[in-house]
Amino acid sequence: MTAIDNEKSTIAIMILAAGASTRMGTPKQLLLYQGRSFLKYITEIAIASVCQPVVVVLGANAEQLHPQIQQLPVKVVKNLDWAYGMSTSIKSGIELLNNLPQKIEAVVITLCDQPFVSPKIINQLVDTYYLTKKPIIACEYGDTLGVPALFSQIFFSELATLKETSGAKKVINNNLNEVFAIPFPLGDIDIDTPKDYEQLLSSTKEIFEVS
């Protein structure tokens, strides 16, 4: 049982999907995974969680990507400054949340290219936030703390003023005393290169064949 239900949730989720995928050579948000694009897949994962509203930040290739999610119940932000780094996408998402009529208590920030993020992990972040009363709940993998991570609104201004090349991990590392970590070993897997994508497809194929 999750600690809250969908209707009462004031915890938003923000999907960062504005990057240009330069190392992939093609928009990785459009690569197929589990029968749909990465962007649609992670957006559907977010919708299936207890978090509301779901905010998707687009940037590079926004016109190509938007049709993937335009039928879904999400709020889309187009970050025109995407080329200046992930911090600009976080700022765009936080600005939208700050302008909503309802008070947003916290936000879960997640990426488009972590294929093993699930509603269960997202809900675990939310439940842990309520249980521990800690203002930052981060995932722990590969000797690091990172996203998906939940940030109380007391950190919204710090998130919105990150330096250009910084991501949400900077806020985690700056406030370690305020962080509670949950284990998510598969969070270490993200998809940046064609080789990463090939390995993902072959590993998931093996899982399905075994099961």
Side-chain angles (χ1 to χ4, degrees), residues 67-202:
Q68 293 289 316
I69 53 171
Q70 63 185 5
Q71 303 299 325
L72 299 176
V74 299
K75 298 180 184 299
V76 177
V77 187
K78 292 185 181 175
N79 171 23
L80 301 178
D81 296 323
W82 60 266
Y84 294 103
M86 195 178 289
S87 63
T88 62
S89 290
I90 295 172
K91 181 181 180 183
S92 299
I94 294 292
E95 283 175 355
L96 181 141
L97 293 177
N98 284 338
N99 286 316
L100 291 176
Q102 74 264 46
K103 184 177 184 296
I104 302 298
E105 187 178 336
V107 64
V108 173
I109 296 179
T110 192
L111 305 177
C112 187
D113 65 350
Q114 284 177 299
F116 295 106
V117 170
S118 64
K120 183 179 177 183
I121 278 289
I122 296 167
N123 293 348
Q124 193 179 345
L125 290 169
V126 175
D127 282 342
T128 305
Y129 166 72
Y130 283 116
L131 290 168
T132 65
K133 311 294 187 201
K134 283 284 193 179
I136 300 176
I137 312 297
C139 286
E140 186 172 12
Y141 45 83
D143 298 324
T144 191
L145 297 173
V147 295
L150 179 150
F151 299 88
S152 161
Q153 56 85 217
I154 63 173
F155 289 106
F156 282 12
S157 58
E158 189 173 339
L159 285 164
T161 52
L162 283 165
K163 294 289 183 281
E164 286 179 353
T165 55
S166 303
K169 192 181 283 191
K170 177 88 172 172
V171 177
I172 296 171
N173 290 335
N174 283 351
N175 300 281
L176 288 175
N177 289 339
E178 306 290 347
V179 179
F180 190 93
I182 65 170
F184 178 37
L186 290 173
D188 209 21
I189 298 171
D190 58 16
I191 308 304
D192 288 323
T193 66
K195 186 180 178 186
D196 293 339
Y197 182 50
E198 285 165 26
Q199 286 177 337
L200 172 69
L201 294 183
S202 61

